[in-house]
Amino acid sequence: MIYINAPIGVGKSTLTKYLSDSLGTHAFYESVEDMPMLKEFYSNGDKSRSNLSFELQIAFLNYRFSQLRQGLYLQEHDGEVNTVYDSSLLSDGIMCSNLYKRGEMSGVLYDLYQELSANMVADVAGHPFNGTPDLIVYLQAPFEVMLDHIKKRGREMETQDPALVDYYKSVWDAYNDWYRGYSASPVVTIDMERYDFVANPDDRENVLSIIKDRLVSLGKLKKVSMPT
């Protein structure tokens, strides 16, 4: 099980596709169309975020949990390993914690979210899961690169309000704080200033090789059977 982790817009979905295609495994994506509440969440600054933060995080919790169950089912029944997730319960927890720290979610609701998330992970429909993936690929990018990527992908709800820059900065800070303190599972760090795996095919192959080499070292991939 591989999580691609990074702040908003840095390249999680793109790398998820490249990696899952290269490994020949299943990919799980975050579909904006499946989460119509996002548009409302972004619609009116801190007011709409405060009004909808808990509801949105619970909706994502349900969404991610469903994907987790599917991935574990594939692993148990079809023998599929190295499924790739472009977002996860882990990333949702980072986002939820940021909303709480910003004062856009109450302490009572934040504690309820954390308790519910822990209870769900403790028993994923009878499947063994310790709450951590086999590998995390962290896309490390300067804040300016994050903003540029958000602008380029052109989602109106994410660019309509200049004041969102403050929110995005807090998200970027939250992910970097997580990265500095995380030790529960192996992490491969991809420097997004060094590697442009979208536009540069050589960079793409280098990034995929870095990840696959780490999977080999973890015993999650056999070197002789790695796809080219």
Side-chain angles (χ1 to χ4, degrees):
M1 182 178 294
I2 304 166
Y3 289 173
I4 311 297
N5 210 28
I8 300 168
V10 172
K12 298 186 294 292
S13 296
T14 302
L15 183 57
T16 294
K17 176 171 174 51
Y18 289 144
L19 181 58
S20 62
D21 285 350
S22 183
L23 294 172
T25 58
H26 197 90
F28 293 93
Y29 298 97
E30 176 185 300
S31 173
V32 174
E33 289 73 23
D34 290 338
M35 205 61 59
M37 197 185 303
L38 261 177
K39 186 174 182 179
E40 296 179 53
F41 177 78
Y42 280 115
S43 65
N44 193 22
D46 56 356
K47 181 177 181 181
S48 57
R49 289 195 299 272
S50 296
N51 288 341
L52 291 171
S53 61
F54 181 71
E55 290 89 337
L56 181 66
Q57 290 301 141
I58 290 298
F60 271 121
L61 181 62
N62 182 57
Y63 186 75
R64 307 286 188 228
F65 191 72
S66 176
Q67 290 184 326
L68 177 61
R69 290 177 62 190
Q70 292 175 55
L72 291 172
Y73 181 89
L74 289 172
Q75 181 175 317
E76 181 177 346
H77 294 275
D78 297 343
E80 183 170 330
V81 296
N82 295 327
T83 50
V84 188
Y85 296 73
D86 78 343
S87 292
S88 62
L89 293 172
L90 174 64
S91 57
D92 282 353
I94 296 171
M95 297 292 282
C96 187
S97 178
N98 183 52
L99 288 166
Y100 166 65
K101 289 177 181 178
R102 288 176 60 86
E104 294 170 353
M105 181 184 292
S106 72
V108 171
L109 293 179
Y110 176 69
D111 289 345
L112 177 58
Y113 170 89
Q114 295 293 344
E115 183 179 356
L116 180 59
S117 180
N119 286 337
M120 292 170 74
V121 168
D123 182 14
V124 190
H127 297 286
F129 181 62
N130 64 2
T132 60
D134 298 299
L135 179 67
I136 292 175
V137 180
Y138 183 65
L139 306 183
Q140 190 172 50
F143 180 56
E144 293 73 21
V145 171
M146 173 183 165
L147 288 181
D148 184 57
H149 284 199
I150 291 172
K151 182 179 179 181
K152 283 181 178 178
R153 75 180 180 182
R155 293 178 184 169
E156 183 180 358
M157 65 180 177
E158 294 178 339
T159 58
Q160 61 189 348
D161 184 1
L164 277 169
V165 171
D166 173 70
Y167 172 68
Y168 292 146
K169 180 59 165 60
S170 71
V171 170
W172 185 84
D173 287 337
Y175 273 87
N176 279 278
D177 288 344
W178 164 84
Y179 173 70
R180 286 190 290 267
Y182 185 80
S183 60
S185 53
V187 178
V188 167
T189 304
I190 304 299
D191 183 349
M192 297 296 286
E193 285 192 292
R194 179 178 180 184
Y195 297 107
D196 184 354
F197 55 73
V198 177
N200 189 317
D202 290 336
D203 283 353
R204 186 180 312 148
E205 288 306 310
N206 284 333
V207 167
L208 293 175
S209 292
I210 290 168
I211 298 169
K212 289 190 279 189
D213 285 347
R214 189 59 182 277
L215 288 170
V216 169
S217 72
L218 293 170
K220 300 298 179 180
L221 189 65
K222 293 182 179 179
K223 196 173 184 63
V224 295
S225 64
M226 285 192 298
T228 59

